[in-house]
């Protein structure tokens, strides 16, 4: 099994340390978060904490695809993080990515970034409607999303757990994580509205986001709300259909 890697210029002096934590990932580090498909661990490097995401081995079809046709999730995460930084969009500092490949198949991959401590994620806005300055944070998040769209960033995993938020008095900063699904291209109104589909099923939240986005985009509120709410409902409908299908499959087993 061959190993390839790409280390950010700022961390090349720590190459031996990075090599070691990847080689010994299974026996070192501190487990972090609750990941269903992949795993996360934290490692101390001097005064920094590194967040290492281990992507599970893909199925056989994707092992071939990632070996010859597509960039791995780890490589995309690293490259997209650097691109976001160029565009002045918040994301944890990228450190490196590592990949393991055989002659014909792709195996495991790892993405390393600096751990970023936040005050909350967007998810808290879904579970605590009484969070301090709730509406101000939601409106600031909407303006952040508008700026992503203006810069031609289509974050395909724009969902509740993938935006970290730091609070400094009445100032809010936003940082994107889980970066491997992203496109950089001009976004029309329809694509912008679809990008809100995963963020909330609650009408009151969509009303606030629609109002703020309408102000940023220069469209009437009713037009923005109708389009955004339609995308939310369509996404929720797809989820319900998938759940029904899973129940049917379980029933027939």
């Amino acid at each position: 099994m061959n190993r390839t890697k790409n280390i950010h210029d700022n961390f090349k002096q720590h190459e031996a340390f990075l090599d070691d934590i990847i080689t010994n990932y299974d026996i070192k580090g501190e487990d972090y978060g609750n990941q269903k498909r992949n795993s996360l661990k934290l490692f101390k490097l001097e005064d920094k904490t590194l967040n290492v995401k281990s992507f599970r081995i893909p199925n056989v079809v994707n092992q071939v695809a990632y070996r010859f046709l597509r960039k791995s999730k780890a490589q995309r995460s690293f490259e997209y993080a650097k691109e976001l930084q160029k565009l002045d969009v918040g994301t944890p500092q990228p450190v490196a990515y590592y990949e393991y490949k055989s002659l014909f198949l792709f195996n495991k991959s790892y993405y390393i970034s600096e751990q970023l401590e936040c005050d909350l994620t967007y998810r808290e806005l879904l579970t605590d409607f009484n969070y301090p300055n709730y509406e101000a944070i939601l409106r600031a998040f909407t303006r952040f999303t508008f700026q992503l769209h203006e810069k031609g960033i289509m974050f395909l995993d724009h969902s509740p757990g993938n935006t970290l938020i730091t609070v400094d008095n009445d100032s809010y900063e936003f940082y994107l994580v889980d970066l491997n699904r992203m496109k950089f291209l001009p976004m029309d109104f329809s694509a912008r509205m679809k990008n809100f589909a995963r963020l909330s099923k609650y009408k009151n939240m969509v009303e606030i986001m629609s109002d703020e986005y309408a102000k940023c985009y220069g469209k009437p509120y009713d037009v923005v709300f109708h389009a955004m709410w339609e995308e939310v409902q369509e996404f929720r409908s797809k989820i319900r259909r998938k759940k029904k299908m899973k129940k049917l499959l379980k029933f027939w087993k």
Side-chain angles (χ1 to χ4, degrees), residues 134-248:
Y134 179 93
E135 185 170 329
I137 297 173
L138 186 56
R139 288 183 179 276
F141 170 81
T142 305
R143 293 192 296 272
F144 168 71
T145 300
F146 174 76
Q147 287 303 317
L148 293 182
H149 296 167
E150 288 292 285
K151 293 175 180 180
I153 302 168
M154 183 185 289
F155 185 30
L156 298 173
D157 278 333
H158 204 28
S159 53
N162 291 343
T163 300
L164 312 182
I165 307 172
T166 61
V167 180
D168 183 10
N169 294 321
D170 294 329
S171 177
Y172 312 102
E173 297 292 334
F174 302 89
Y175 302 85
L176 300 182
V177 296
D178 284 352
L179 306 179
N180 67 87
R181 295 182 65 242
M182 191 172 290
K183 293 181 179 179
F184 296 87
L185 74 177
M187 296 177 65
D188 62 16
F189 179 67
S190 176
R192 291 169 182 238
M193 295 298 97
K194 189 178 290 293
N195 205 214
F196 281 90
R198 295 168 174 259
L199 288 168
S200 177
K201 64 181 180 180
Y202 299 111
K203 194 172 185 179
N204 63 311
M205 292 182 71
V206 177
E207 288 172 342
I208 293 170
M209 291 189 291
S210 298
D211 180 64
E212 192 64 29
Y213 203 94
K215 292 174 181 175
C216 295
Y217 198 59
K219 270 190 178 290
Y221 163 77
D222 290 345
V223 173
V224 176
F225 172 76
H226 176 76
M228 193 182 294
W229 185 238
E230 192 173 70
E231 294 294 347
V232 169
Q233 289 179 306
E234 175 59 25
F235 177 70
R236 302 306 303 180
S237 179
K238 286 180 181 177
I239 291 177
R240 288 192 293 270
R241 288 197 294 270
K242 285 182 180 179
K243 286 182 178 179
K244 285 182 181 179
M245 186 61 68
K246 285 182 180 179
K247 286 182 179 179
L248 285 172

Side-chain angles (χ1 to χ4, degrees), residues 15-28:
E15 183 172 359
F17 175 83
L18 298 175
D19 287 351
D20 179 68
I21 64 176
I22 297 302
T23 300
N24 297 293
Y25 179 85
D26 291 335
I27 60 174
K28 290 187 176 182

Side-chain angles (χ1 to χ4, degrees), residues 34-51:
N34 183 21
Q35 296 281 312
K36 292 181 180 178
R37 291 175 294 179
N38 309 302
S39 71
L40 288 175
K41 283 190 174 184
L42 300 182
F43 296 83
K44 289 296 294 184
L45 172 61
E46 297 176 347
D47 62 339
K48 302 180 187 298
T49 300
L50 302 186
N51 183 313

